Every structure is written in C-alpha cells, then in structure tokens.
C-alpha cells in the first residue's frame, strides 16, 4: 500500500546531514546559520514543507544554532516535523517583518551570537537581521552549504536512486502510450498519473514530453502538438521523492517501424561515451564541455551536467559558464544529471539524460536500463 502520510526524513539521514553542517560551522566559527532556500532548509531540518514552484525572496525559513545543535523552523503545523524539533521551536508565517525579528530574538544565543551566516540576503533582511542578532557580524553562508551538499553521502545516493526508480516506472507508462495522434500533454498526463499512483505528487518538471523540431536545433512549440509518424519525441522524466530529485531523459521515434537516423544515433552514442569518460575523479569539469567539441556536436541548449539532490545542487556545468567549470573538478560522491543532446536537420533531436554518481572508480549510472540509441 502506498504511504501518503507526510513524514520527516529518515532520522539517520537527517542527523548525518545536520552533523556535516555543524562541523562546517565549527570550522568557520559560525554561531548561527539562517537559511531561506528550501533545499538548504530541508537539508538542515529534515522536514518536508509546502512545495512551491518558482523563485521567492529570502526569508528566515530555518535556523541552526551551533552551540546546541537545535533547529528552529518556519512552519505553521506539526505534520512532518521531526521529533527533535519541538513545537516551541516553530514560528509562523507573517507579513509583518517585526514578527520575524521577535521570533528570531527568542532563539537561544541570538543576543550573544558573534557570527551569523545566511544563504542569501535582501536589502530589507540586511536591515532586520541585526535587530535579531545585535552582537553578530553577518557573513555569507552559501559557500559552506555548497561544500556540504555538492558531495552526497551514501544514504543520499540511495534516496536519489529511489526517486529515479519511480521516474523510470512512470516514464515506462508514458513510453507505452506513445503512438501517432497522441498529444504532448496526454503523454505528460500519463506520466503524472503513474507518478501519483506511486505516491509521489511532485514532478521535477511540468513538461515531460515534447516533439523535437526538424528545422531548429532547439524549439519547443507552445501549442499541444499531436505526434506524427517519424517524429522524435523527447521525454524529460523526473520526480521528487523524499525531497530528492530523480531525473532521466529519453527520445523515441513515434512509429515503432521507423528507426532513429543511424548517423544521428551514432553521433549521440559517441558523445555519451566521451561524457562518461570525462567523469573521472580529479578531472576538470571543463572536460564535460570539451566532450561536445570532440564529438563535433554544438553546445546544447541546456546544462551539460547539474547536481541532483534537494534542489539547486551543484555543480552546474554549462557552456555559458566555462570559467566556473574550469575552477571545479569531478569529485567522488557527486551525483549528476548528465545530458547528451544532438540534433540533425530534417530529422530532429536526440535528448538523453542519465543520473550518474561519481565513485572512486569512475561514473556509475543510477538507472536500471540505460539507453543507447545506436545499440538499441
């Protein structure tokens, strides 16, 4: 039976994550950490809160005190709150900034904290936080959290793997429904229904299926297209289970009797082999960008690689940010959504994405049935 009750993250996992953050706070001599980004708040607290799409301004959503290890959380209810966060450590939503200041002032050690780190800041927050922490210097806490979260613990890899399993099963249902005449939204609906049947209600993206363009390297029609024989249909399948995102991408020809262009599929496979070869511990992340050039494939319209986890995970490897990639290396424990994208005029595009964990021995795919276009 599918469990739909809202529950906190596994106790072992959330304690291990919090311990890593506290160790970094100790090393940086940070007394209090104030986070507003939901992924960071989930990492610290282990509490699933209301999921919302889109951006939002910084707010003190979660507070971690180094001296006591206690967590204070913005929440108006107890459901899903871990038992190590007592009710008196919860504070409610308010449109009055002064109420937030009062809530923060009640936190133990707020008046005497010397260094307070935040993962973001707005001009108004920069004026309000000193009132809550009058003796403290405000510093940037995002680098600390990036160091902690970029390399995943084995338990986190298992959580991502579980999300990938749900995404794979839901994608399988959508692939079965692929036939001439079906629309992109209908395919997305099949995926969403299968995902929800597994007890997961949050997709990683709203647009699961789209017909790739035969005229433009990157074009997604705004209308709901019905697929036709010979079309290459891309699936961007992802779900969020237990806070962790599991994502994969596939491309299929609409009519089973129509084979994917041999030259395009061989190009994709060569590109994929080069991308995997670049996922060696210690290798510069620019190697992932170089893989496209070596395979003779233009830069893709999406990141070549990005971290998977609780949201906004690093690294982010894109041709638009080559200097950033050059300053970073592949590290064991990184979990990446690795993307190969190749397009051919009058044929369409092949989009493939695999969740990959970097181990000491190299990359390991987290899917049960990795797809190879030229060899399928």
């Amino acid at each position: 039976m599918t469990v739909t009750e809202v529950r906190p993250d596994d106790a072992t996992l959330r304690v291990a994550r919090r311990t890593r953050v506290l160790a970094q706070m100790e090393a940086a001599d940070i007394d209090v950490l104030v986070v507003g980004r939901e992924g960071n708040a989930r990492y610290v607290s282990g509490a699933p809160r209301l999921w919302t799409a889109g951006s939002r301004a910084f707010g003190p959503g979660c507070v971690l005190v180094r001296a006591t290890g206690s967590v204070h959380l913005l929440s108006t209810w107890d459901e899903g709150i871990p038992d190590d966060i007592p009710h008196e450590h919860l504070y409610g939503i308010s449109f009055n900034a002064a109420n937030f200041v009062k809530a923060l002032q009640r936190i133990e050690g707020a008046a005497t904290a010397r260094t307070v780190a935040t993962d973001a800041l707005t001009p108004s927050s920069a004026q309000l936080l000193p009132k809550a922490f009058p003796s403290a210097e405000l510093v940037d806490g995002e680098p600390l959290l990036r160091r902690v979260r970029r390399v995943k613990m084995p338990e986190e890899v298992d959580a991502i793997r579980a999300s990938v399993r749900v995404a794979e099963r839901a994608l399988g249902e959508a692939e079965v429904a692929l036939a001439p005449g079906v629309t992109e939204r209908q395919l997305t609906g099949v995926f969403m229904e299968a995902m929800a049947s597994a007890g997961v209600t949050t997709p990683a993206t709203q647009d699961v299926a789209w017909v790739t363009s035969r005229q433009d390297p990157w074009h997604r029609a705004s209308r709901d297209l019905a697929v036709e024989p010979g079309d290459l249909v891309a699936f961007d399948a992802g779900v969020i289970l237990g806070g962790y995102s599991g994502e994969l991408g596939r491309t299929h020809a609409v009519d089973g009797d129509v084979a994917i262009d041999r030259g395009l599929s061989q190009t994709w496979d060569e590109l994929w082999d080069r991308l995997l070869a670049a996922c060696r511990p210690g290798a510069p992340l620019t190697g992932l960008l170089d893989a496209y050039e070596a395979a003779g494939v233009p830069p893709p319209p999406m990141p070549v690689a990005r971290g998977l986890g609780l949201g906004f995970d690093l690294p982010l490897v894109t041709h638009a940010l080559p200097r950033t990639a050059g300053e970073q290396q592949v590290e064991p424990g990184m979990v990446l959504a690795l993307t190969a994208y190749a397009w051919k005029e009058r044929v369409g595009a092949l989009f493939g994405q695999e969740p990959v964990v970097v181990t000491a021995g190299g990359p390991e795919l987290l899917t049960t049935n990795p797809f190879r276009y030229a060899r399928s």
Side-chain angles (χ1 to χ4, degrees), residues 238-370:
V239 307
I240 299 176
L241 172 64
Y244 285 91
S245 180
E247 304 176 33
L248 64 150
R250 300 285 186 267
T251 303
H252 295 288
V254 174
D255 194 326
D257 295 330
V258 178
I260 293 177
D261 182 88
R262 186 72 176 173
L264 180 60
S265 61
Q266 289 177 338
T267 297
W268 188 95
D269 272 354
E270 178 187 350
L271 171 60
W272 181 249
D273 288 338
R274 291 181 181 277
L275 288 170
L276 281 183
C279 292
R280 305 183 316 276
L285 286 175
T286 48
L288 296 172
L289 304 180
D290 296 339
Y292 273 81
E293 182 177 0
V297 178
M302 68 282 290
V304 175
R306 52 189 173 78
L308 288 178
L310 291 171
F312 293 101
D313 291 75
L314 294 178
L316 177 65
V317 183
T318 170
H319 286 82
L321 299 170
R323 182 181 301 177
T324 301
E327 295 170 349
Q328 302 177 71
Q329 294 182 336
V330 179
E331 301 177 44
M334 282 182 171
V335 181
L336 308 172
L338 192 61
T339 301
Y341 183 90
W343 176 81
K344 185 175 181 179
E345 190 173 5
R346 294 191 296 275
V347 176
L350 287 183
F351 164 72
Q353 182 173 272
E354 292 284 350
V356 176
V357 58
V358 180
T359 71
E364 175 189 334
L365 304 186
L366 297 182
T367 50
T368 57
N369 187 27

Side-chain angles (χ1 to χ4, degrees), residues 157-171:
V157 176
D158 289 340
I160 295 172
R161 197 190 306 270
S163 294
V164 171
R165 294 291 176 272
V166 175
E168 281 188 296
R169 290 194 293 270
L171 174 60

Side-chain angles (χ1 to χ4, degrees), residues 169-297:
R169 290 194 293 270
L171 174 60
E173 296 293 330
E175 289 171 333
V176 170
L178 181 62
V182 69
T183 69
E184 296 167 327
R185 290 179 185 171
Q186 287 172 334
L187 292 171
T188 296
V190 171
F191 176 89
M192 299 289 187
E193 182 180 15
M195 175 193 72
S197 297
V200 180
T201 58
T202 308
T205 177
Q206 295 292 330
D207 298 317
V208 174
W210 73 93
V211 177
T212 68
S213 173
R214 305 186 195 196
Q215 291 79 38
D216 299 296
W218 175 245
H219 177 72
R220 294 176 68 164
S222 59
R223 60 189 185 279
D224 184 25
L225 289 179
V227 300
E228 301 176 356
D231 281 341
L232 295 182
V233 177
F235 290 90
D236 188 4
V239 307
I240 299 176
L241 172 64
Y244 285 91
S245 180
E247 304 176 33
L248 64 150
R250 300 285 186 267
T251 303
H252 295 288
V254 174
D255 194 326
D257 295 330
V258 178
I260 293 177
D261 182 88
R262 186 72 176 173
L264 180 60
S265 61
Q266 289 177 338
T267 297
W268 188 95
D269 272 354
E270 178 187 350
L271 171 60
W272 181 249
D273 288 338
R274 291 181 181 277
L275 288 170
L276 281 183
C279 292
R280 305 183 316 276
L285 286 175
T286 48
L288 296 172
L289 304 180
D290 296 339
Y292 273 81
E293 182 177 0
V297 178

Side-chain angles (χ1 to χ4, degrees), residues 23-41:
Q24 287 292 323
M25 292 175 66
E26 179 73 27
D29 197 23
I30 293 172
D31 298 312
V32 177
L33 177 65
V34 183
V35 300
R37 294 176 177 172
E38 191 57 33
N40 290 336

